Amino acid sequence: MARFLARSALDEVLARLARSYHLHWPGKLRGKTGYIPWQAGQESMLDHNPDATVKELFLPRTEVLMEFDDGQEKTSRPLAVFGVRPCDARAVHLLDRVFVEQPPVDGPYQERRQGALFIGMACPQPQMTCFCSTVGGGPFDTVGLDVLLTPVDEGWVAEAASTAGEEYLEQEAWPEATKEQQAQARAEKDQARAVAEEVELEGLAKKLEASFEAPVWERLHEKCLGCAVCTYYCPTCHCFDVTDTDKARLRTWDSCMFPLFTLHTSGHNPRLSGKERMRQRVMHKFCYFPLRLEDHACVGCGRCIELCPVNLDIRQVLAELGGCL
Amino acid sequence: MVQEQLRKEAARLLREGEVDVFIGYARGSLPAQSTVVFARSSEDAQELVFDPTCHPNLAVYLPRFKKERVGVVVKACDARALVELIRERQVDPDKVLAIGVECPGVIDRDRWEEGMSLDDGEWKEALAVACEHCRLPAVDLFHCWLGEKKVAVEEADAQVSSSPIDEDSEERYRWFSAEMEKCIRCYACRQACPACYCPECFTDRSHPDWVSPVHEPPEAMLFHLVRTLHLAGRCTDCGACARACPQNINLLALHRRMEAEAVRRFGYLSGQDPDAPSLLGSFSKDDSDDFIK
């Protein structure tokens, strides 16, 4: 049953969520936007897909993997994210495949992921950089979501996308969405354009597997500056580094675009230049991941396209690699 | 028109074998965003564009080419960076053909709003900060120059933008901390900077690990302060770092402050003459030493 969440009831709903969950939603973060802890009275930024991705909540930039026991018991509420876009939710679903759905299970990730509630915001107006439909998602996709909200007049039509979502909606008992509201939500969905279908990914993984040594890589990487904007802003990139300090063992984000990422103790570096590093990034997303886990490790959120200092557009890279042939 | 002349000359250079590759700008996939093209044939050269969306500093690519002869399109700021690269023996001037272009200034995409027209002056609302202080290198190192060579030369001393960097130390530290909070250490600033050509940056060392991989402001501070010091007398104020930064950190305030110090204490202005001695590589008995206590 579709329910209706009135805009006027939003504050109360969020306050209730925050009692049982460590609630996050889109807001201002480090001079840009990201998912921030919800506090009463904050300005709503639900119309905006944040610059920083939701992965930070589950895979923080820096986390302590082990530390000396300080004897204090640690308790925490599960995470909830209100207003997450379908692309970011899909990304967490992909991270689950890596960190919990195959052995060995990653403890710290699983701990954060356990019981987390994703209340998603449908995306009726995708940006020029969006291409979620190309990689199997869509502006109304519910993969990874518990509840999907679709903006209508005065509020949102809410539909459960999982058992946890059903339970949550049951417990909230918002009024049933009227026929008009449901029709409006349906119309939004129908008119939402499929985003950037011009790149054909069918069969690309196999093609890429056979083209590791192809000369095209020589040219493709040429304009890449070798920074980590694309990887750090990617909701599915999850490579990390582990460092020991005198107090703890830390896990921090790392990027395959950095030479240090693959530098051996001997001084040898198997990915010597930008060519090898960029090839790895593309291969991981569109070859290795799909061949092993049957999904692209890209959700088409377009952040890497929007932020690349030299406009190295992954859609064009895929097209050039034969995705559209 | 500059763009037509540019295509024609680049095509000629490639066709007649005067260069092996020509680095320029091409139309990007987003509004107000150009991309980079490495043209290797006269046909490729037809992709070249030049307009206010051409914001990256292409001199950054030059040290990668050790054997090939390279043509490159340079704005005044890129040319100043080229002067430094030649001075520091990272680029062989005999292997580079620089085509200078008259530049109306470039767009900072963070200031740009959808619908701004490139044809009339509307885009100037989004003019990059660095472009407010444009100056030409004194030495003529260009293969040719397209358009007029008319660029306002500002007093370098006036180039320190008003930021709390000049306030008392507490206010300055608050400002600096807030800027550093934003940094995600993606190193886009370093990678976009022509003067940051070290094959191994100090941040890329793990023994000793000068900078910890932990994402916290002190680590970002260390990186940016060391980078600023390494750029003393070498930064040419092109602003490529600030435009590459996805977090809109006010990097120019740091670098301009350093540049102003070089001018004030040593009368030194970078990016002017590749044959002049470098600031850090030269010494004079008359150098200011009032900071030595």
Side-chain angles (χ1 to χ4, degrees), chain A residues 103-134:
Chain A
V105 166
D106 187 286
Y109 178 89
Q110 192 188 31
E111 214 170 282
R112 281 187 205 93
R113 192 65 183 89
Q114 201 102 56
L117 190 69
F118 276 81
I119 301 174
M121 186 63 71
C123 193
Q125 281 170 322
Q127 305 296 301
M128 284 186 77
T129 44
C130 295
F131 61 109
C132 54
S133 313
T134 310

PDB file of all heavy atoms in Angstrom, chain A residues 103-134:
ATOM      1  N   PRO A 103      32.825 -14.404   1.715  1.00  0.00           N
ATOM      2  CA  PRO A 103      33.813 -14.474   2.795  1.00  0.00           C
ATOM      3  C   PRO A 103      35.141 -13.897   2.347  1.00  0.00           C
ATOM      4  O   PRO A 103      35.454 -13.981   1.158  1.00  0.00           O
ATOM      5  CB  PRO A 103      33.927 -15.979   3.057  1.00  0.00           C
ATOM      6  CG  PRO A 103      33.451 -16.646   1.801  1.00  0.00           C
ATOM      7  CD  PRO A 103      32.503 -15.705   1.122  1.00  0.00           C
ATOM      8  N   PRO A 104      35.932 -13.360   3.266  1.00  0.00           N
ATOM      9  CA  PRO A 104      35.606 -13.175   4.677  1.00  0.00           C
ATOM     10  C   PRO A 104      34.761 -11.905   4.871  1.00  0.00           C
ATOM     11  O   PRO A 104      34.985 -10.908   4.181  1.00  0.00           O
ATOM     12  CB  PRO A 104      36.998 -12.976   5.312  1.00  0.00           C
ATOM     13  CG  PRO A 104      37.813 -12.353   4.228  1.00  0.00           C
ATOM     14  CD  PRO A 104      37.298 -12.902   2.930  1.00  0.00           C
ATOM     15  N   VAL A 105      33.815 -11.999   5.786  1.00  0.00           N
ATOM     16  CA  VAL A 105      32.966 -10.849   6.061  1.00  0.00           C
ATOM     17  C   VAL A 105      33.782  -9.754   6.752  1.00  0.00           C
ATOM     18  O   VAL A 105      34.615 -10.050   7.607  1.00  0.00           O
ATOM     19  CB  VAL A 105      31.774 -11.280   6.944  1.00  0.00           C
ATOM     20  CG1 VAL A 105      31.063 -10.074   7.521  1.00  0.00           C
ATOM     21  CG2 VAL A 105      30.815 -12.134   6.131  1.00  0.00           C
ATOM     22  N   ASP A 106      33.577  -8.520   6.355  1.00  0.00           N
ATOM     23  CA  ASP A 106      34.313  -7.393   6.934  1.00  0.00           C
ATOM     24  C   ASP A 106      33.561  -6.889   8.167  1.00  0.00           C
ATOM     25  O   ASP A 106      32.487  -6.289   8.044  1.00  0.00           O
ATOM     26  CB  ASP A 106      34.428  -6.281   5.882  1.00  0.00           C
ATOM     27  CG  ASP A 106      35.329  -5.143   6.337  1.00  0.00           C
ATOM     28  OD1 ASP A 106      34.897  -4.348   7.196  1.00  0.00           O
ATOM     29  OD2 ASP A 106      36.461  -5.064   5.850  1.00  0.00           O
ATOM     30  N   GLY A 107      34.125  -7.159   9.330  1.00  0.00           N
ATOM     31  CA  GLY A 107      33.442  -6.852  10.594  1.00  0.00           C
ATOM     32  C   GLY A 107      32.986  -5.406  10.746  1.00  0.00           C
ATOM     33  O   GLY A 107      31.794  -5.144  10.944  1.00  0.00           O
ATOM     34  N   PRO A 108      33.930  -4.446  10.684  1.00  0.00           N
ATOM     35  CA  PRO A 108      33.534  -3.051  10.913  1.00  0.00           C
ATOM     36  C   PRO A 108      32.474  -2.568   9.925  1.00  0.00           C
ATOM     37  O   PRO A 108      31.561  -1.833  10.291  1.00  0.00           O
ATOM     38  CB  PRO A 108      34.840  -2.275  10.699  1.00  0.00           C
ATOM     39  CG  PRO A 108      35.917  -3.271  10.907  1.00  0.00           C
ATOM     40  CD  PRO A 108      35.376  -4.584  10.487  1.00  0.00           C
ATOM     41  N   TYR A 109      32.587  -2.993   8.663  1.00  0.00           N
ATOM     42  CA  TYR A 109      31.585  -2.577   7.672  1.00  0.00           C
ATOM     43  C   TYR A 109      30.232  -3.188   8.038  1.00  0.00           C
ATOM     44  O   TYR A 109      29.208  -2.507   8.053  1.00  0.00           O
ATOM     45  CB  TYR A 109      32.007  -3.031   6.268  1.00  0.00           C
ATOM     46  CG  TYR A 109      30.999  -2.679   5.188  1.00  0.00           C
ATOM     47  CD1 TYR A 109      31.055  -1.469   4.518  1.00  0.00           C
ATOM     48  CD2 TYR A 109      29.961  -3.566   4.860  1.00  0.00           C
ATOM     49  CE1 TYR A 109      30.115  -1.132   3.546  1.00  0.00           C
ATOM     50  CE2 TYR A 109      29.019  -3.246   3.893  1.00  0.00           C
ATOM     51  CZ  TYR A 109      29.101  -2.026   3.237  1.00  0.00           C
ATOM     52  OH  TYR A 109      28.160  -1.707   2.282  1.00  0.00           O
ATOM     53  N   GLN A 110      30.264  -4.478   8.338  1.00  0.00           N
ATOM     54  CA  GLN A 110      29.007  -5.166   8.645  1.00  0.00           C
ATOM     55  C   GLN A 110      28.314  -4.537   9.851  1.00  0.00           C
ATOM     56  O   GLN A 110      27.091  -4.401   9.896  1.00  0.00           O
ATOM     57  CB  GLN A 110      29.263  -6.643   8.896  1.00  0.00           C
ATOM     58  CG  GLN A 110      27.975  -7.451   8.933  1.00  0.00           C
ATOM     59  CD  GLN A 110      28.189  -8.879   9.373  1.00  0.00           C
ATOM     60  OE1 GLN A 110      29.101  -9.142  10.166  1.00  0.00           O
ATOM     61  NE2 GLN A 110      27.387  -9.782   8.861  1.00  0.00           N
ATOM     62  N   GLU A 111      29.147  -4.150  10.813  1.00  0.00           N
ATOM     63  CA  GLU A 111      28.585  -3.557  12.028  1.00  0.00           C
ATOM     64  C   GLU A 111      27.789  -2.286  11.703  1.00  0.00           C
ATOM     65  O   GLU A 111      26.710  -2.060  12.217  1.00  0.00           O
ATOM     66  CB  GLU A 111      29.730  -3.206  12.970  1.00  0.00           C
ATOM     67  CG  GLU A 111      29.383  -3.361  14.435  1.00  0.00           C
ATOM     68  CD  GLU A 111      30.637  -3.241  15.275  1.00  0.00           C
ATOM     69  OE1 GLU A 111      31.411  -4.225  15.343  1.00  0.00           O
ATOM     70  OE2 GLU A 111      30.855  -2.147  15.816  1.00  0.00           O
ATOM     71  N   ARG A 112      28.350  -1.454  10.813  1.00  0.00           N
ATOM     72  CA  ARG A 112      27.649  -0.227  10.438  1.00  0.00           C
ATOM     73  C   ARG A 112      26.434  -0.505   9.576  1.00  0.00           C
ATOM     74  O   ARG A 112      25.428   0.179   9.646  1.00  0.00           O
ATOM     75  CB  ARG A 112      28.587   0.689   9.650  1.00  0.00           C
ATOM     76  CG  ARG A 112      29.521   1.421  10.521  1.00  0.00           C
ATOM     77  CD  ARG A 112      30.296   2.439   9.686  1.00  0.00           C
ATOM     78  NE  ARG A 112      31.531   2.678  10.392  1.00  0.00           N
ATOM     79  CZ  ARG A 112      32.644   2.021  10.157  1.00  0.00           C
ATOM     80  NH1 ARG A 112      32.717   1.168   9.181  1.00  0.00           N
ATOM     81  NH2 ARG A 112      33.692   2.249  10.895  1.00  0.00           N
ATOM     82  N   ARG A 113      26.547  -1.528   8.766  1.00  0.00           N
ATOM     83  CA  ARG A 113      25.501  -1.830   7.778  1.00  0.00           C
ATOM     84  C   ARG A 113      24.293  -2.505   8.446  1.00  0.00           C
ATOM     85  O   ARG A 113      23.161  -2.342   7.987  1.00  0.00           O
ATOM     86  CB  ARG A 113      26.129  -2.761   6.729  1.00  0.00           C
ATOM     87  CG  ARG A 113      25.344  -2.967   5.498  1.00  0.00           C
ATOM     88  CD  ARG A 113      25.197  -1.709   4.701  1.00  0.00           C
ATOM     89  NE  ARG A 113      24.349  -1.982   3.539  1.00  0.00           N
ATOM     90  CZ  ARG A 113      23.037  -1.873   3.556  1.00  0.00           C
ATOM     91  NH1 ARG A 113      22.414  -1.480   4.645  1.00  0.00           N
ATOM     92  NH2 ARG A 113      22.324  -2.155   2.468  1.00  0.00           N
ATOM     93  N   GLN A 114      24.578  -3.261   9.520  1.00  0.00           N
ATOM     94  CA  GLN A 114      23.537  -4.030  10.203  1.00  0.00           C
ATOM     95  C   GLN A 114      22.383  -3.132  10.652  1.00  0.00           C
ATOM     96  O   GLN A 114      22.588  -2.180  11.393  1.00  0.00           O
ATOM     97  CB  GLN A 114      24.129  -4.685  11.450  1.00  0.00           C
ATOM     98  CG  GLN A 114      23.349  -5.864  11.958  1.00  0.00           C
ATOM     99  CD  GLN A 114      24.032  -7.168  11.559  1.00  0.00           C
ATOM    100  OE1 GLN A 114      25.202  -7.362  11.874  1.00  0.00           O
ATOM    101  NE2 GLN A 114      23.332  -8.017  10.839  1.00  0.00           N
ATOM    102  N   GLY A 115      21.190  -3.448  10.190  1.00  0.00           N
ATOM    103  CA  GLY A 115      20.003  -2.731  10.665  1.00  0.00           C
ATOM    104  C   GLY A 115      19.878  -1.322  10.126  1.00  0.00           C
ATOM    105  O   GLY A 115      19.006  -0.570  10.550  1.00  0.00           O
ATOM    106  N   ALA A 116      20.760  -0.941   9.187  1.00  0.00           N
ATOM    107  CA  ALA A 116      20.676   0.422   8.634  1.00  0.00           C
ATOM    108  C   ALA A 116      19.425   0.561   7.784  1.00  0.00           C
ATOM    109  O   ALA A 116      19.035  -0.371   7.073  1.00  0.00           O
ATOM    110  CB  ALA A 116      21.911   0.724   7.800  1.00  0.00           C
ATOM    111  N   LEU A 117      18.779   1.721   7.890  1.00  0.00           N
ATOM    112  CA  LEU A 117      17.534   1.968   7.170  1.00  0.00           C
ATOM    113  C   LEU A 117      17.772   3.020   6.089  1.00  0.00           C
ATOM    114  O   LEU A 117      18.273   4.101   6.367  1.00  0.00           O
ATOM    115  CB  LEU A 117      16.475   2.458   8.163  1.00  0.00           C
ATOM    116  CG  LEU A 117      15.038   2.562   7.661  1.00  0.00           C
ATOM    117  CD1 LEU A 117      14.461   1.167   7.407  1.00  0.00           C
ATOM    118  CD2 LEU A 117      14.171   3.315   8.666  1.00  0.00           C
ATOM    119  N   PHE A 118      17.398   2.688   4.845  1.00  0.00           N
ATOM    120  CA  PHE A 118      17.594   3.611   3.720  1.00  0.00           C
ATOM    121  C   PHE A 118      16.248   4.121   3.218  1.00  0.00           C
ATOM    122  O   PHE A 118      15.486   3.369   2.618  1.00  0.00           O
ATOM    123  CB  PHE A 118      18.312   2.903   2.568  1.00  0.00           C
ATOM    124  CG  PHE A 118      19.798   2.875   2.722  1.00  0.00           C
ATOM    125  CD1 PHE A 118      20.410   1.942   3.531  1.00  0.00           C
ATOM    126  CD2 PHE A 118      20.588   3.800   2.057  1.00  0.00           C
ATOM    127  CE1 PHE A 118      21.779   1.925   3.678  1.00  0.00           C
ATOM    128  CE2 PHE A 118      21.960   3.796   2.187  1.00  0.00           C
ATOM    129  CZ  PHE A 118      22.560   2.862   3.003  1.00  0.00           C
ATOM    130  N   ILE A 119      15.974   5.384   3.491  1.00  0.00           N
ATOM    131  CA  ILE A 119      14.751   5.993   2.971  1.00  0.00           C
ATOM    132  C   ILE A 119      15.157   6.864   1.791  1.00  0.00           C
ATOM    133  O   ILE A 119      15.811   7.891   1.953  1.00  0.00           O
ATOM    134  CB  ILE A 119      14.042   6.799   4.066  1.00  0.00           C
ATOM    135  CG1 ILE A 119      13.709   5.844   5.224  1.00  0.00           C
ATOM    136  CG2 ILE A 119      12.780   7.458   3.520  1.00  0.00           C
ATOM    137  CD1 ILE A 119      13.138   6.509   6.436  1.00  0.00           C
ATOM    138  N   GLY A 120      14.810   6.389   0.588  1.00  0.00           N
ATOM    139  CA  GLY A 120      15.345   7.003  -0.629  1.00  0.00           C
ATOM    140  C   GLY A 120      14.441   8.072  -1.203  1.00  0.00           C
ATOM    141  O   GLY A 120      13.241   8.094  -0.958  1.00  0.00           O
ATOM    142  N   MET A 121      15.069   8.962  -1.971  1.00  0.00           N
ATOM    143  CA  MET A 121      14.340  10.033  -2.643  1.00  0.00           C
ATOM    144  C   MET A 121      14.440   9.799  -4.137  1.00  0.00           C
ATOM    145  O   MET A 121      15.547   9.790  -4.687  1.00  0.00           O
ATOM    146  CB  MET A 121      14.962  11.379  -2.254  1.00  0.00           C
ATOM    147  CG  MET A 121      14.226  12.593  -2.762  1.00  0.00           C
ATOM    148  SD  MET A 121      12.566  12.746  -2.094  1.00  0.00           S
ATOM    149  CE  MET A 121      12.895  13.178  -0.385  1.00  0.00           C
ATOM    150  N   ALA A 122      13.308   9.582  -4.782  1.00  0.00           N
ATOM    151  CA  ALA A 122      13.326   9.395  -6.234  1.00  0.00           C
ATOM    152  C   ALA A 122      13.883  10.655  -6.892  1.00  0.00           C
ATOM    153  O   ALA A 122      13.888  11.726  -6.296  1.00  0.00           O
ATOM    154  CB  ALA A 122      11.929   9.109  -6.752  1.00  0.00           C
ATOM    155  N   CYS A 123      14.344  10.505  -8.113  1.00  0.00           N
ATOM    156  CA  CYS A 123      15.162  11.533  -8.762  1.00  0.00           C
ATOM    157  C   CYS A 123      14.518  11.929 -10.092  1.00  0.00           C
ATOM    158  O   CYS A 123      14.979  11.520 -11.143  1.00  0.00           O
ATOM    159  CB  CYS A 123      16.543  10.908  -8.966  1.00  0.00           C
ATOM    160  SG  CYS A 123      17.852  12.009  -9.397  1.00  0.00           S
ATOM    161  N   PRO A 124      13.425  12.723 -10.051  1.00  0.00           N
ATOM    162  CA  PRO A 124      12.700  12.999 -11.289  1.00  0.00           C
ATOM    163  C   PRO A 124      13.462  13.894 -12.265  1.00  0.00           C
ATOM    164  O   PRO A 124      13.121  13.928 -13.436  1.00  0.00           O
ATOM    165  CB  PRO A 124      11.428  13.715 -10.816  1.00  0.00           C
ATOM    166  CG  PRO A 124      11.417  13.598  -9.328  1.00  0.00           C
ATOM    167  CD  PRO A 124      12.824  13.405  -8.910  1.00  0.00           C
ATOM    168  N   GLN A 125      14.470  14.620 -11.795  1.00  0.00           N
ATOM    169  CA  GLN A 125      15.197  15.498 -12.707  1.00  0.00           C
ATOM    170  C   GLN A 125      16.689  15.224 -12.709  1.00  0.00           C
ATOM    171  O   GLN A 125      17.483  15.963 -12.120  1.00  0.00           O
ATOM    172  CB  GLN A 125      14.941  16.953 -12.340  1.00  0.00           C
ATOM    173  CG  GLN A 125      13.597  17.421 -12.843  1.00  0.00           C
ATOM    174  CD  GLN A 125      13.222  18.754 -12.293  1.00  0.00           C
ATOM    175  OE1 GLN A 125      13.486  19.057 -11.126  1.00  0.00           O
ATOM    176  NE2 GLN A 125      12.601  19.566 -13.119  1.00  0.00           N
ATOM    177  N   PRO A 126      17.089  14.138 -13.365  1.00  0.00           N
ATOM    178  CA  PRO A 126      18.523  13.802 -13.400  1.00  0.00           C
ATOM    179  C   PRO A 126      19.343  14.902 -14.070  1.00  0.00           C
ATOM    180  O   PRO A 126      18.823  15.645 -14.884  1.00  0.00           O
ATOM    181  CB  PRO A 126      18.557  12.527 -14.238  1.00  0.00           C
ATOM    182  CG  PRO A 126      17.173  11.991 -14.211  1.00  0.00           C
ATOM    183  CD  PRO A 126      16.279  13.180 -14.101  1.00  0.00           C
ATOM    184  N   GLN A 127      20.611  14.971 -13.698  1.00  0.00           N
ATOM    185  CA  GLN A 127      21.526  15.983 -14.235  1.00  0.00           C
ATOM    186  C   GLN A 127      22.142  15.516 -15.557  1.00  0.00           C
ATOM    187  O   GLN A 127      22.022  14.356 -15.930  1.00  0.00           O
ATOM    188  CB  GLN A 127      22.657  16.242 -13.226  1.00  0.00           C
ATOM    189  CG  GLN A 127      22.187  16.632 -11.845  1.00  0.00           C
ATOM    190  CD  GLN A 127      21.454  17.957 -11.855  1.00  0.00           C
ATOM    191  OE1 GLN A 127      22.003  18.967 -12.247  1.00  0.00           O
ATOM    192  NE2 GLN A 127      20.188  17.948 -11.439  1.00  0.00           N
ATOM    193  N   MET A 128      22.855  16.451 -16.213  1.00  0.00           N
ATOM    194  CA  MET A 128      23.497  16.121 -17.490  1.00  0.00           C
ATOM    195  C   MET A 128      24.565  15.043 -17.347  1.00  0.00           C
ATOM    196  O   MET A 128      24.929  14.393 -18.321  1.00  0.00           O
ATOM    197  CB  MET A 128      24.216  17.358 -18.034  1.00  0.00           C
ATOM    198  CG  MET A 128      23.323  18.372 -18.627  1.00  0.00           C
ATOM    199  SD  MET A 128      24.354  19.638 -19.343  1.00  0.00           S
ATOM    200  CE  MET A 128      24.881  18.789 -20.837  1.00  0.00           C
ATOM    201  N   THR A 129      25.081  14.917 -16.132  1.00  0.00           N
ATOM    202  CA  THR A 129      26.163  13.963 -15.916  1.00  0.00           C
ATOM    203  C   THR A 129      25.639  12.581 -15.519  1.00  0.00           C
ATOM    204  O   THR A 129      26.413  11.642 -15.378  1.00  0.00           O
ATOM    205  CB  THR A 129      27.069  14.486 -14.802  1.00  0.00           C
ATOM    206  OG1 THR A 129      26.248  14.966 -13.746  1.00  0.00           O
ATOM    207  CG2 THR A 129      27.963  15.602 -15.286  1.00  0.00           C
ATOM    208  N   CYS A 130      24.317  12.465 -15.286  1.00  0.00           N
ATOM    209  CA  CYS A 130      23.756  11.201 -14.793  1.00  0.00           C
ATOM    210  C   CYS A 130      23.661  10.160 -15.910  1.00  0.00           C
ATOM    211  O   CYS A 130      23.313  10.495 -17.035  1.00  0.00           O
ATOM    212  CB  CYS A 130      22.356  11.440 -14.238  1.00  0.00           C
ATOM    213  SG  CYS A 130      22.341  12.490 -12.787  1.00  0.00           S
ATOM    214  N   PHE A 131      23.977   8.913 -15.587  1.00  0.00           N
ATOM    215  CA  PHE A 131      23.745   7.837 -16.565  1.00  0.00           C
ATOM    216  C   PHE A 131      23.380   6.539 -15.845  1.00  0.00           C
ATOM    217  O   PHE A 131      23.770   5.445 -16.236  1.00  0.00           O
ATOM    218  CB  PHE A 131      24.950   7.660 -17.493  1.00  0.00           C
ATOM    219  CG  PHE A 131      26.259   7.283 -16.830  1.00  0.00           C
ATOM    220  CD1 PHE A 131      26.795   6.009 -16.997  1.00  0.00           C
ATOM    221  CD2 PHE A 131      26.963   8.196 -16.070  1.00  0.00           C
ATOM    222  CE1 PHE A 131      27.998   5.647 -16.411  1.00  0.00           C
ATOM    223  CE2 PHE A 131      28.176   7.840 -15.471  1.00  0.00           C
ATOM    224  CZ  PHE A 131      28.681   6.569 -15.641  1.00  0.00           C
ATOM    225  N   CYS A 132      22.563   6.669 -14.784  1.00  0.00           N
ATOM    226  CA  CYS A 132      22.226   5.509 -13.959  1.00  0.00           C
ATOM    227  C   CYS A 132      21.544   4.404 -14.763  1.00  0.00           C
ATOM    228  O   CYS A 132      21.781   3.219 -14.527  1.00  0.00           O
ATOM    229  CB  CYS A 132      21.380   5.925 -12.764  1.00  0.00           C
ATOM    230  SG  CYS A 132      19.914   6.863 -13.178  1.00  0.00           S
ATOM    231  N   SER A 133      20.687   4.786 -15.728  1.00  0.00           N
ATOM    232  CA  SER A 133      19.949   3.761 -16.481  1.00  0.00           C
ATOM    233  C   SER A 133      20.901   2.878 -17.288  1.00  0.00           C
ATOM    234  O   SER A 133      20.631   1.700 -17.505  1.00  0.00           O
ATOM    235  CB  SER A 133      18.954   4.413 -17.435  1.00  0.00           C
ATOM    236  OG  SER A 133      18.235   5.401 -16.769  1.00  0.00           O
ATOM    237  N   THR A 134      22.015   3.447 -17.714  1.00  0.00           N
ATOM    238  CA  THR A 134      22.980   2.694 -18.513  1.00  0.00           C
ATOM    239  C   THR A 134      23.597   1.544 -17.721  1.00  0.00           C
ATOM    240  O   THR A 134      23.912   0.498 -18.268  1.00  0.00           O
ATOM    241  CB  THR A 134      24.119   3.630 -18.978  1.00  0.00           C
ATOM    242  OG1 THR A 134      23.530   4.775 -19.558  1.00  0.00           O
ATOM    243  CG2 THR A 134      25.026   2.947 -19.960  1.00  0.00           C
TER     244      THR A 134
END
